[in-house]
């Protein structure tokens, strides 16, 4: 790491040490080191054949569930085999140390929970549970349904026979109401927002860090590419989340 990056990390650590309620906001970039492709990125091999709107939208699920499940299968496979990386682990450790109070994530891969974070708000839902969109029954055994999908089968509701749906937010769908409300409560309390691995391009999720800023929260950004919030940020570190976040954690622990 360069001197400049290390200086920025020091500044970030000072801000985090002064904070009473730091909230982390994450996106696809935090899971790419774990081998989960960003399905919104058009140049990652796995997805370039698919326009997300044609496969990952509410319309696609309704009219072409076979196509939808062919799209979901490799994503579910990657996610079920993936392990949390040092960035997820550093965030979980920051929660144990009392610095981080909540993680708001746009990811649906469960890796923050696997790393040990306990207060995770999933703005776009999760691939690891299912429900029936017709009779609204949640799946009794989501593991079994995941196995079916991984075998290339389409899962059906045991109550009414409709096709089961993973609890993820598709294109054309609103965000889950409860997660959105809890995220907004966290934003109200946040005095530092640590944005990691998100380019803040997906609305409405990406509006949350700006809301926090308007309420007086300080902003730390760790991401490869620029974001719309850069001009308002206290610290911007354009580096690898899996290197930068563990270094933040290490400095924070050693300076206590
Ligand atoms: Zn049903």
């Amino acid at each position: 790491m360069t001197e400049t990056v290390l200086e920025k990390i020091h500044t970030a650590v000072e801000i985090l040490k002064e904070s009473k309620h730091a909230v982390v906001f994450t996106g696809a970039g935090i899971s790419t080191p774990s081998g989960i492709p960003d399905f919104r990125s058009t140049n990652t091999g796995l997805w370039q054949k698919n326009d997300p709107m044609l496969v990952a939208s509410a319309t696609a699920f309704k009219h072409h569930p076979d196509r939808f499940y062919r799209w979901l299968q490799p994503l579910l496979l990657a996610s079920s085999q993936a392990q949390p990386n040092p960035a997820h682990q550093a965030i979980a450790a920051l929660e144990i140390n009392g610095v981080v109070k909540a993680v708001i994530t746009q990811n649906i891969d469960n890796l923050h929970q696997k790393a040990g974070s306990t207060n995770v708000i999933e703005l776009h839902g999760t691939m690891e549970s299912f429900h029936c969109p017709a009779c609204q029954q949640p799946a009794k055994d989501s593991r079994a349904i995941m196995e079916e999908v991984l075998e290339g089968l389409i899962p059906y509701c045991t109550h009414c026979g409709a096709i089961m749906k993973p609890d993820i937010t598709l294109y054309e769908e609103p965000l889950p109401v409860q997660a959105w409300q809890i995220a907004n409560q966290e934003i109200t309390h946040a005095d530092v927002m640590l944005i990691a691995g998100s380019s803040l391009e997906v609305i409405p999720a990406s509006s949350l860090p700006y809301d926090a800023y308007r309420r007086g929260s300080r902003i730390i950004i760790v991401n490869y590419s620029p974001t719309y919030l850069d001009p308002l940020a206290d610290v911007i570190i354009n580096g690898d989340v899996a290197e930068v976040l563990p270094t933040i954690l290490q400095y924070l622990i050693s300076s206590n």
Side-chain angles (χ1 to χ4, degrees):
M1 268 185 236
T2 64
E3 278 298 308
T4 329
V5 170
L6 289 174
E7 268 171 41
K8 288 179 176 180
I9 288 176
H10 269 293
T11 312
V13 167
E14 289 308 311
I15 292 173
L16 285 167
K17 277 168 69 179
E18 288 166 13
S19 76
K20 299 265 182 292
H21 199 104
V23 174
V24 179
F25 183 93
T26 66
I30 203 150
S31 290
T32 41
S34 291
I36 309 250
D38 177 0
F39 66 82
R40 288 188 180 82
S41 165
T42 48
N43 51 12
T44 50
L46 197 49
W47 314 116
Q48 65 189 2
K49 295 184 209 96
N50 292 323
D51 175 350
M53 277 306 283
L54 292 181
V55 287
S57 63
T59 307
F61 177 79
K62 195 170 169 202
H63 297 293
H64 303 283
D66 49 336
R67 202 190 281 168
F68 171 84
Y69 272 106
R70 272 204 304 276
W71 165 78
L72 188 75
Q73 188 196 25
L75 189 61
L76 192 62
L77 182 65
S79 165
S80 62
Q81 292 176 341
Q83 294 302 320
N85 65 62
H88 295 105
Q89 285 155 356
I91 292 170
L94 286 169
E95 185 187 325
I96 290 168
N97 286 328
V99 176
V100 164
K101 304 296 185 201
V103 180
I104 301 175
T105 187
Q106 303 172 87
N107 300 337
I108 55 177
D109 54 31
N110 214 32
L111 288 178
H112 284 299
Q113 291 92 329
K114 275 191 193 166
S117 289
T118 60
N119 191 16
V120 182
I121 301 149
E122 295 171 308
L123 285 180
H124 295 158
T126 173
M127 270 186 288
E128 305 219 342
S129 65
F130 289 75
H131 75 280
C132 171
C135 72
Q136 307 302 326
Q137 293 280 340
K140 281 207 189 78
D141 189 351
S142 286
R143 281 274 141 206
I145 293 185
M146 283 166 66
E147 290 301 323
E148 283 180 41
V149 175
L150 290 174
E151 285 167 23
L153 302 170
I154 294 178
Y156 291 94
C157 175
T158 50
H159 299 277
C160 76
I163 294 176
M164 298 292 276
K165 182 178 177 293
D167 294 340
I168 57 177
T169 306
L170 302 178
Y171 288 93
E172 307 165 337
E173 287 182 335
L175 300 192
V177 173
Q178 203 189 0
W180 183 247
Q181 283 172 348
I182 297 170
N184 275 285
Q185 280 166 19
E186 288 297 338
I187 292 300
T188 312
H189 295 126
D191 56 5
V192 174
M193 286 296 294
L194 169 57
I195 295 142
S198 173
S199 301
L200 300 177
E201 283 168 346
V202 180
I203 51 167
S206 59
S207 66
L208 290 171
Y210 177 68
D211 288 343
Y213 168 81
R214 277 196 307 125
R215 291 173 173 275
S217 171
R218 304 183 79 179
I219 304 287
I220 301 168
I221 299 175
V222 184
N223 196 49
Y224 270 125
S225 54
T227 79
Y228 80 93
L229 215 52
D230 284 8
L232 305 175
D234 295 86
V235 188
I236 303 160
I237 306 170
N238 294 123
D240 181 350
V241 286
E243 277 182 34
V244 173
L245 294 182
T247 311
I248 289 179
L249 172 70
Q250 193 189 329
Y251 282 17
L252 200 114
I253 291 170
S254 61
S255 67
N256 272 342

